[in-house]
Amino acid sequence: MAKKSKKMQAALEKVDTTKAYSVEDAVALAKDTNIAKFDATLEVAYRLNVDPKKADQQIRGAVVLPNGTGKTQTVLVFAKGDKAKEAEEAGADYVGEGDLAEKIQGGWFDFDVVVATPDMMAQVGKLGRVLGPKGLMPNPKTGTVTMDVAKAVEEVKAGKVTYRVDRNGNIHVPIGKASFDNEQLVENFKTIHDVVEKAKPSASKGIYMQNITVTTTFGPGIHVDASSF
């Protein structure tokens, strides 16, 4: 086991691992135990009582955080004609068709989010093997396959995040930066919590949210009491 740094040891001493904190206290403690030298990201993790292998228990979607993420997202849009113009006017960083597809096939990935109009998906679908593993493939469920490209771009720029349950039943979502006010982080956290809670599949029985944790980039995990929301 790797030896923990003095900073990490000091941070761990502040956390009661036998306790589940209220959302407000958990956010405050996450900031207090941040050991990164940069403006760290706070991330929440949910362990859910679902079976991702079953189609009726897949959880995936997107939500715009009220206070943004603190990160400027680079948006690439596959569109043509008037829709390409709309994307550009909305602030998309890259807009195109086959030219962008060729660049991506060649190993170019200088973007964070991909948006596409439905008529472009036949072409974008060919990029599935390279975009898929990076979580960049456009999807109607996350609002990234749409004719309203302007809205999609504006939402991403405003702080839209996507969430998706992984094969182990976990969801990881950023809620902002350590430089945010506690109130901003709590509001973002509650927004995420609300959509994950409402996404509970009817097939999921028993306790749905088995564990909730918030942590900074290099900080310790802090358990959150689900009843405090």
Side-chain angles (χ1 to χ4, degrees):
M1 180 179 288
K3 185 178 180 180
K4 295 182 177 66
S5 68
K6 289 183 179 180
K7 281 187 177 181
M8 184 53 137
Q9 289 175 358
L12 287 168
E13 288 175 1
K14 296 179 180 180
V15 182
D16 183 351
T17 57
T18 66
K19 177 182 178 180
Y21 295 83
S22 70
V23 58
E24 291 83 5
D25 288 346
V27 164
L29 187 55
K31 290 182 64 175
D32 188 40
T33 55
N34 173 35
I35 61 174
K37 294 181 179 179
F38 53 88
D39 193 9
T41 295
L42 269 76
E43 182 181 87
V44 298
Y46 287 87
R47 187 170 77 239
L48 304 176
N49 181 25
V50 297
D51 184 354
K53 294 179 182 178
K54 297 181 179 179
D56 61 351
Q57 295 187 50
Q58 284 285 335
I59 298 173
R60 183 174 188 176
V63 61
V64 177
L65 298 182
N67 301 298
T69 62
K71 177 184 178 183
T72 301
Q73 300 274 59
T74 300
V75 185
L76 181 153
V77 179
F78 282 101
K80 55 187 176 182
D82 291 341
K83 292 300 172 181
K85 185 177 180 180
E86 287 177 21
E88 290 173 351
E89 292 176 347
D93 300 277
Y94 303 103
V95 182
E97 303 177 52
D99 54 331
L100 292 181
E102 289 180 14
K103 286 184 69 175
I104 292 170
Q105 288 284 22
W108 174 72
F109 295 101
D110 293 342
F111 48 88
D112 302 301
V113 179
V114 179
V115 174
T117 53
D119 60 314
M120 294 299 296
M121 285 307 294
Q123 190 171 133
V124 178
K126 297 175 183 178
L127 301 172
R129 289 186 178 181
V130 291
L131 293 179
K134 294 180 179 292
L136 294 170
M137 194 66 184
N139 189 291
K141 291 183 178 179
T142 59
T144 48
V145 176
T146 175
M147 286 302 288
D148 195 347
V149 289
K151 180 183 178 182
V153 172
E154 289 166 357
E155 286 185 341
V156 171
K157 293 290 186 179
K160 185 177 183 178
V161 294
T162 59
Y163 57 90
R164 183 179 186 178
V165 67
D166 64 20
R167 62 183 180 181
N168 296 313
N170 301 316
I171 285 178
H172 297 269
V173 191
I175 59 168
K177 296 288 186 178
S179 60
F180 280 24
D181 291 340
N182 288 17
E183 293 77 14
Q184 292 177 309
L185 291 165
V186 168
E187 187 177 13
N188 281 353
F189 198 162
K190 288 182 176 180
T191 299
I192 288 292
H193 186 83
D194 187 49
V195 296
V196 173
E197 190 172 46
K198 289 178 179 177
K200 179 184 178 181
S202 57
S204 175
K205 307 301 179 183
I207 299 174
Y208 172 53
M209 295 182 177
Q210 297 186 323
N211 189 38
I212 309 171
T213 306
V214 61
T215 183
T216 52
T217 306
F218 295 128
I222 297 157
H223 294 295
V224 185
D225 183 357
S227 66
S228 70
F229 286 86

